[in-house]
């Protein structure tokens, strides 16, 4: 145990606790050197408003008030993201008081205790009631994992290759009450991203023939005009984190980012919608699923992007779970429990389990959208 005086840091750092699901998992992780890391954009896993995108396990009572996520009572359990991540920077601002321990587990499964089932965790022993908030920073990159609490290094080790982010807690048996946990911020930045677009030409992309859309590269961006049409990656991907910047050069233009589409097949798979339109002055009422919604499946819970402004979309796709963020705000979360689609892998009609292309949509004659900084982190 590493113990810091109150003047040094507000909490005691227990250790970085790691259990491996098996040595094969450790060997499966490849070392990625720092110079090979392409950093993505930060996304907020906690929106400051709700538990959207999270699922509780155990007996914890979780509440959100005034931008703070609090565990008010509970003996043991955790709160986990529904999305899974592999290589990332993670930053959490939190405070632990009361009796017991709490911490951040990562690359963890949802079944059982997050830490004990093969993930890794940074654990904090509860401090005094007036303790300051601490900042936990974790970098997981292949089999290299580093962590700091308030800029103090803690021991590191290898964990699973991918999994959920979880806020876990446990009370000491000799006490009647467990820890109280308060969290102000949980944000994540994907690492080891690979570029899908070189900003110069359409190498690495295929255009579906005999369609009306016009595709070009202008000022380092992939532009789509007219419609309908589709341009797709030459490679296929099943599980991934995708990030790209998008610009809609018109009012309420319609387009989409498709994924898990069979090569050469038009407008199937899943679609993260692009349409910056909402009803009246209420951004929580999107038109036609709204930017960041999963078209035909899950409307955006809020349209946060605007026309004629660059915005960043993040799509996390793992097995049968899909999540979308726009400008770092989570707009959609969907777990597909439907039978496998028998309609050409059409994600609007059923679950699509197989790998497919990433593709961009030209929708209609008004289409005029640009895309740049298109990066992907495969999770398989």
């Amino acid at each position: 145990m590493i113990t810091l005086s109150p003047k040094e840091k507000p909490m005691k750092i227990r250790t970085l606790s790691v259990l491996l699901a098996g040595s094969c998992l450790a060997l499966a992780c490849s070392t990625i050197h720092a110079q090979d890391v392409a950093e993505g954009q930060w996304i907020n896993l906690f929106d400051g408003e709700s538990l959207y995108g999270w699922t509780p396990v155990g007996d914890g009572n979780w509440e959100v008030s005034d931008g703070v996520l609090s565990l008010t009572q509970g003996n043991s359990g955790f709160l986990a993201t529904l999305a899974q991540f592999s290589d990332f920077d993670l930053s959490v601002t939190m405070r632990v008081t009361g009796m017991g321990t709490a911490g951040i587990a990562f690359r963890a499964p949802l079944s059982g205790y997050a830490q004990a089932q093969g993930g890794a965790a940074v654990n904090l022993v509860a401090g005094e009631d007036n303790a300051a908030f601490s900042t936990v920073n974790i970098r997981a990159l292949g089999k290299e994992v580093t962590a700091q609490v308030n800029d103090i290094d803690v021991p590191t080790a290898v964990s699973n290759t991918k999994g959920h982010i979880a806020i876990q807690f446990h009370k000491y048996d000799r006490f009647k009450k467990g820890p109280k946990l308060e969290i102000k911020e949980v944000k994540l930045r994907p690492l080891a991203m690979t570029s899908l677009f070189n900003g110069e030409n359409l190498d690495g992309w295929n255009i579906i023939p005999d369609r009306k859309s016009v595709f070009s590269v202008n000022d380092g961006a992939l532009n789509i005009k007219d419609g309908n049409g589709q341009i797709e990656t030459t490679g296929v991907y099943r599980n991934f984190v995708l990030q790209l910047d998008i610009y809609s050069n018109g009012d309420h233009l319609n387009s989409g980012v498709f994924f898990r589409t069979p090569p050469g097949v038009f407008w199937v798979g899943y679609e993260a919608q692009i349409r910056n339109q909402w009803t009246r002055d209420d951004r929580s009422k999107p038109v036609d699923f709204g930017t960041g919604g999963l078209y035909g499946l899950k409307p955006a819970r809020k349209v946060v992007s605007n026309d004629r402004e660059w915005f960043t979309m993040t799509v996390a796709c793992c097995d049968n779970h899909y999540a979308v963020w726009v400008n770092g705000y989570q707009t959609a979360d969907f777990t597909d429990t439907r039978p496998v689609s028998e309609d050409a892998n059409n994600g609007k009609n059923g679950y699509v389990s197989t790998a497919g292309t990433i593709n961009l949509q030209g929708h209609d004659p008004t289409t005029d959208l640009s895309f740049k900084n298109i990066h992907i982190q495969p999770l398989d």
Side-chain angles (χ1 to χ4, degrees):
M1 180 185 295
I2 303 171
T3 304
L4 303 178
S5 69
K7 291 184 179 179
E8 290 175 301
K9 299 295 166 189
M11 287 191 225
K12 293 179 282 186
I13 309 167
R14 193 165 88 177
T15 187
L16 177 72
S17 303
V18 177
L19 292 174
L20 294 179
S23 59
C24 59
L25 287 175
L27 294 173
C29 300
S30 60
T31 300
I32 305 174
H33 297 290
Q35 61 267 27
D36 300 323
V37 177
E39 297 178 346
Q41 299 295 313
W42 289 96
I43 59 174
N44 293 306
L45 302 184
F46 169 52
D47 61 14
E49 305 167 339
S50 67
L51 296 180
Y52 193 83
W54 296 80
T55 184
V57 176
D59 64 355
N61 181 47
W62 300 91
E63 299 177 356
V64 178
S65 179
D66 297 325
V68 177
L69 169 63
S70 299
L71 170 71
T72 57
Q73 63 181 16
N75 294 319
S76 63
F78 57 90
L79 184 70
T81 60
L82 291 166
Q84 297 189 58
F85 303 95
S86 177
D87 294 325
F88 53 79
D89 281 330
L90 177 69
S91 181
V92 183
T93 303
M94 61 187 296
R95 175 166 62 190
V96 185
T97 57
M99 302 297 179
T101 62
I104 307 300
F106 53 98
R107 288 181 175 172
L110 282 182
S111 60
Y113 291 104
Q115 177 185 343
Q117 293 296 318
V122 175
N123 290 327
L124 299 170
V125 177
E128 302 295 331
D129 289 345
N130 60 352
F133 277 82
S134 289
T135 299
V136 180
N137 290 318
I138 299 167
R139 169 165 283 208
L141 187 58
K143 66 180 182 181
E144 298 176 357
V145 178
T146 60
Q148 297 83 34
V149 178
N150 296 322
D151 298 323
I152 301 296
D153 291 337
V154 296
T156 61
V158 179
S159 64
N160 291 341
T161 57
K162 69 175 183 289
H164 305 266
I165 309 297
I167 303 165
Q168 60 183 18
F169 63 95
H170 182 74
K171 84 174 184 68
Y172 295 141
D173 292 338
R174 62 184 181 276
F175 296 122
K176 293 182 179 180
K177 295 182 179 180
K180 180 181 179 181
L181 181 56
E182 298 166 281
I183 296 148
K184 286 185 176 180
E185 183 177 62
V186 184
K187 63 180 183 179
L188 180 143
R189 174 171 59 185
L191 300 176
M193 305 287 279
T194 300
S195 178
L196 294 178
F197 171 58
N198 62 22
E200 298 178 355
N201 53 50
L202 298 180
D203 289 352
W205 293 80
N206 290 326
I207 297 172
I208 298 294
D210 303 322
R211 296 288 173 177
K212 297 180 180 180
S213 290
V214 177
F215 303 91
S216 61
V217 178
N218 300 312
D219 297 326
L222 193 165
N223 180 257
I224 305 176
K225 287 186 177 179
D226 303 331
N228 52 36
Q230 175 178 310
I231 187 169
E232 64 184 22
T233 57
T234 56
V236 295
Y237 307 88
R238 184 175 186 270
N239 295 331
F240 57 83
V241 175
L242 173 74
Q243 285 192 328
L244 67 166
D245 293 338
I246 305 169
Y247 190 95
S248 173
N249 189 28
D251 295 330
H252 318 316
L253 299 185
N254 196 329
S255 182
V257 178
F258 285 72
F259 53 97
R260 286 195 184 169
T261 299
V265 181
F266 189 62
W267 284 13
V268 300
Y270 296 98
E271 178 187 0
Q273 172 72 317
I274 301 170
R275 185 163 180 171
N276 299 323
Q277 187 176 8
W278 50 92
T279 303
R280 299 184 178 86
D281 294 326
D282 191 348
R283 286 179 177 262
S284 67
K285 295 181 179 179
V287 172
D288 199 22
F289 288 85
T291 297
L294 289 165
Y295 192 85
L297 300 173
K298 195 83 167 182
R301 61 186 183 123
K302 185 184 295 183
V303 179
V304 299
S305 52
N306 298 309
D307 291 323
R308 299 180 179 85
E309 294 179 4
W310 284 102
F311 61 90
T312 300
M313 177 179 286
T314 303
V315 180
C317 171
C318 190
D319 298 330
N320 69 332
H321 180 265
Y322 321 103
V324 184
W325 289 259
V326 176
N327 289 341
Y329 178 86
Q330 189 168 2
T331 53
D333 193 283
F334 180 73
T335 301
D336 199 342
T337 59
R338 302 171 300 168
V340 172
S341 172
E342 297 181 356
D343 181 16
N345 290 327
N346 191 338
K348 298 176 181 65
N349 297 327
Y351 172 48
V352 178
S353 63
T354 56
T357 65
I358 308 294
N359 58 85
L360 309 175
Q361 179 193 52
H363 187 269
D364 57 67
T366 69
T367 296
D368 186 357
L369 290 103
S370 295
F371 304 81
K372 66 179 181 179
N373 299 325
I374 308 173
H375 295 91
I376 197 167
Q377 180 200 106
L379 301 183
D380 294 320

